Every structure is written in C-alpha cells, then in structure tokens.
Amino acid sequence: MRGTLGAFIQSCLLLLVRADQWRMKDSANCELNRKQTDLNSFLWTIKRDPPSYFYGTIHVPYTRVWDFIPENSKQAFQESNIVYFELDLTDPYTISALTSCQLLPQGENLQDVLPRDIYRRLKRHLEYVKLMMPSWMTPDQRGKGLYADYLFNAIAGNWERKRPVWVMLMVNSLTEADIKTRGVPVLDLYLAQEAERMRKRTGAVEKVEEQCHPLNGLNFSQVSLKLY
C-alpha cells in the first residue's frame, strides 16, 4: 500500500483470494451481467490455473455492508483454500506492533508536540466523549458486558503518548455512530475470522511497518485535528 493519509483513512483493503474451483457463468465474454447483485462487486479475476481473485474491502463493521456484497464475491471466498489479507489481524503480534508504532519516541508526550491550545481542546473533547459514552452505547452492547469505561480505555487509552496522526484517527472514531457499532468486527477482520473458522490457509501481503512508517513521517501541518 502506498502510505498516503487519504488511502489510509478510506482504508481500502486489498484481499487476495485463491480459489481451487470456482466458475462464473458466461465468463468467456466481457458482457456485464445485468443483475444489480452481480455489478460493482470489486472482485477481479487473475487468470491462472487455479484462478485467483483480487478483492477490495473497507474498514467498516461488516454488518453495514455484508448484505450488499454480491454473491460472486462471497462464493469466491467460500470456495477458496488460501486467503491473503492486508495484515494478519488475528495475530497478537500484529496488534502489539500496531499499538507500539503509534507511540511517540520514548520520553515524549503529546503536549510536547502539539500547540498548547489544541492540546487543551483535545483534552476537553476527550473528557466530553468519556462523559457521553454511556448514553451512546446500545442495550445490546451492555447485554454483552461491554462497559463504557472499558471501551473508552480500549480506544483512547494512553492517548497522551500517541503521535498526532494517530490521535486524529482516534478522534475521528470517537463519534456516537461509531461507538454504537463497537464490538462488531470490521469487514476484513470478519473475513479473517471466518477464514480461520473454516480452516483456510491465511497470510498477509504487508508488514505493520509498511503502514506505520509513512504515516509517522507526516508532519503536524499535514495532520488536522477537528475538535468542537
């Protein structure tokens, strides 16, 4: 992935699916199937034997998009034996490395690198979010034992040590709409969990460093914190 901020925020994930056996009806010609469910599937075929497939996903709760994913894409995934993801999100090392790469150098804190007024506004905003979070959560989340304090700490814990770009992304995710979907895996993680459950071979096409280093290279003028 090219490490641009726009690409990261939109979070377009590349998923490579290798299928041993999967055939599309009338695949010999280039005519589009007129059924809407078969259009705009974001599934590309790599002509080889056995065929491989290239699929684009997005980092949103899978329940938001699952019903809109065409059957040809789901069938390719179901019948595949090997699935490569952007990162291996089921690997504890990946999660640990992602957490570590977001931190400022040892001995530095966010208040050392942010203008004083922005740091104060950020702190007030996070206090507001923490206060509001219990009212944002759904009965279903509470029924599953998901508590507001735990959720806030999981998202914003140790925020004073994070680099500005990661704080920006964190703030963008601390909205009522996003909080209500916490606990539901994003599409790429859901597919990784399904692949693991179905005992498919999995792998990753990128390393954590390939995503983190370009973002960590952005200077403060390239990062915009929107606080109200």
Side-chain angles (χ1 to χ4, degrees):
M1 173 184 291
R2 295 181 179 179
T4 64
L5 183 58
F8 184 88
I9 293 176
Q10 292 197 18
S11 302
C12 284
L13 168 67
L14 297 179
L15 170 65
L16 183 61
V17 182
R18 177 179 177 179
D20 278 352
Q21 293 182 345
W22 187 66
R23 297 179 181 177
M24 294 180 61
K25 186 177 180 180
D26 298 327
S27 60
N29 59 55
C30 297
E31 295 181 4
L32 287 174
N33 190 312
R34 294 183 180 180
K35 292 181 180 179
Q36 185 62 35
T37 55
D38 290 331
L39 298 179
N40 303 322
S41 66
F42 300 101
L43 182 73
W44 286 264
T45 301
I46 301 173
K47 294 182 178 180
R48 59 187 302 280
D49 186 22
S52 293
Y53 302 94
F54 196 59
Y55 185 64
T57 72
I58 187 170
H59 295 299
V60 298
Y62 83 96
T63 50
R64 289 185 183 177
V65 296
W66 189 250
D67 291 341
F68 303 98
I69 296 177
E71 288 302 318
N72 62 349
S73 302
K74 293 179 179 178
Q75 186 177 353
F77 178 78
Q78 289 285 336
E79 297 185 5
S80 66
N81 286 336
I82 308 172
V83 188
Y84 286 92
F85 296 91
E86 176 187 11
L87 294 172
D88 185 359
L89 297 178
T90 63
D91 182 1
Y93 168 78
T94 299
I95 306 304
S96 175
L98 282 171
T99 301
S100 297
C101 83
Q102 297 177 19
L103 300 179
L104 288 161
Q106 188 66 34
E108 290 188 18
N109 290 297
L110 194 60
Q111 62 182 338
D112 300 325
V113 297
L114 285 184
R116 182 176 298 180
D117 62 326
I118 293 181
Y119 179 82
R120 288 176 176 173
R121 288 168 60 194
L122 171 63
K123 188 174 182 179
R124 288 197 301 268
H125 179 73
L126 292 177
E127 289 171 350
Y128 163 78
V129 169
K130 187 173 184 178
L131 181 67
M132 295 299 297
M133 192 171 285
S135 66
W136 290 351
M137 297 184 65
T138 67
D140 183 61
Q141 288 173 318
R142 297 190 191 94
K144 293 179 180 178
L146 196 59
Y147 297 99
D149 285 345
Y150 170 82
L151 186 56
F152 180 84
N153 289 330
I155 301 172
N158 206 25
W159 64 270
E160 302 97 331
R161 289 275 296 116
K162 292 180 183 290
R163 296 174 184 267
V165 63
W166 298 102
V167 173
M168 179 197 70
L169 296 173
M170 178 194 75
V171 168
N172 288 342
S173 70
L174 286 171
T175 65
E176 182 175 359
D178 283 338
I179 293 302
K180 288 183 182 300
T181 62
R182 288 286 172 163
V184 178
V186 293
L187 179 58
D188 46 316
L189 177 57
Y190 172 73
L191 291 174
Q193 292 172 339
E194 283 296 288
E196 192 174 61
R197 182 183 66 81
M198 299 167 72
R199 298 184 178 180
K200 299 179 184 295
R201 288 175 54 193
T202 61
V205 297
E206 292 184 3
K207 297 179 180 179
V208 170
E209 295 76 15
E210 292 174 312
Q211 289 201 352
C212 283
H213 290 173
L215 285 171
N216 288 347
L218 296 176
N219 58 47
F220 183 72
S221 66
Q222 296 170 301
V223 179
S224 175
L225 283 173
K226 297 181 180 180
L227 305 174
Y228 303 97

